[in-house]
Amino acid sequence: MQQNSLAPAFPLGAAYWRQANAQLKSVRMLALAGLVSAMAIILQGMPVFLLGNTLKIQFSFLVISVGCCVYGPSVGILAGAVIDTLGFLVSSFGDPYFPGYMLTAMLSGLIYGLFLFHRRINILRLVVLRLVINYGINVLLGSVWKAMLYGKGYYYYFTAGLLKNTLMLPIEVLLLAAVFRILLPALYKSGLVPATGNETGRIPWL
């Protein structure tokens, strides 16, 4: 039986956050967040390299996106902190811990949740989502962390990140659309997402 209802249209209103915060009290949502976190950590260690070693894609953003679509921004922030912390403990190989990347992971969970939680998924929404993540989080914020950690100037990392994230943008949007096309019907039937117009897996442009 479908139990979820659509989130209020305005994502900064009190009603929206009451619904998003309610997911923090759901054992089912927290268990799903734990599963998503484990899968994301595993996928982070399995990148696919493109153009030699100059460009790589990590598929962890796909499971994080699906998770945030189900449990929303509040749990998404928590899951981001868990993914960054446990991911560091599992695969740091002696590298120093840097809290900036936890902030990045938490902000990413927030953004994925705001764009996808109980929303109708379409290509335009996925494009705008990836624009915010790629340029706002990966390029602008990520360049600050790299400049602080590795000593080269901000604009060096900004330029490199801008090129990389621009090249990856269409690939990431296509992967997101394919994953949601496959999974949305099952998520709807299981009661994890409400009826939004994507019940058949169709992902329209608008």
Side-chain angles (χ1 to χ4, degrees):
M1 180 178 179
Q2 190 70 26
Q3 297 178 343
N4 291 329
S5 59
L6 285 174
F10 186 55
L12 299 182
Y16 178 92
W17 286 105
R18 279 196 298 269
Q19 193 172 84
N21 291 336
Q23 310 306 310
L24 290 166
K25 302 176 182 179
S26 169
V27 175
R28 189 185 190 190
M29 293 298 108
L30 294 178
L32 176 62
L35 177 61
V36 167
S37 299
M39 293 176 64
I41 292 170
I42 292 171
L43 289 173
Q44 284 177 353
M46 302 170 61
V48 172
F49 289 92
L50 309 172
L51 303 177
N53 292 328
T54 60
L55 196 65
K56 69 178 179 180
I57 181 169
Q58 291 182 319
F59 296 101
S60 54
F61 78 96
L62 295 172
V63 294
I64 293 171
S65 300
V66 174
C68 289
C69 176
V70 175
Y71 48 63
S74 297
V75 178
I77 293 171
L78 177 63
V82 171
I83 291 168
D84 177 77
T85 303
L86 294 184
F88 171 79
L89 294 175
V90 169
S91 60
S92 64
F93 301 109
D95 294 331
Y97 177 75
F98 185 69
Y101 287 117
M102 176 183 283
L103 176 61
T104 296
M106 294 172 70
L107 284 174
S108 296
L110 170 66
I111 293 168
Y112 282 121
L114 290 176
F115 272 87
L116 301 173
F117 178 54
H118 294 188
R119 303 295 179 185
R120 182 172 180 264
I121 308 297
N122 55 50
I123 298 297
L124 181 60
R125 179 177 293 276
L126 297 180
V127 169
V128 176
L129 167 61
R130 287 313 309 179
L131 285 171
V132 174
I133 292 291
N134 285 26
Y135 297 120
I137 299 295
N138 297 346
V139 177
L140 294 179
L141 194 57
S143 298
V144 174
W145 306 149
K146 289 180 180 178
M148 293 173 65
L149 281 169
Y150 304 118
K152 294 183 179 180
Y154 173 82
Y155 289 106
Y156 171 84
Y157 297 108
F158 177 86
T159 303
L162 186 65
L163 176 61
K164 173 188 173 182
N165 282 275
T166 300
L167 291 173
M168 294 305 301
L169 180 65
I171 298 173
E172 290 164 340
V173 170
L174 289 174
L175 287 173
L176 276 174
V179 167
F180 277 115
R181 180 179 178 85
I182 293 169
L183 293 183
L184 279 173
L187 293 174
Y188 172 72
K189 290 180 181 178
S190 65
L192 289 172
V193 298
T196 59
N198 297 125
E199 295 80 16
T200 64
R202 180 174 175 270
I203 309 294
W205 171 251
L206 297 173

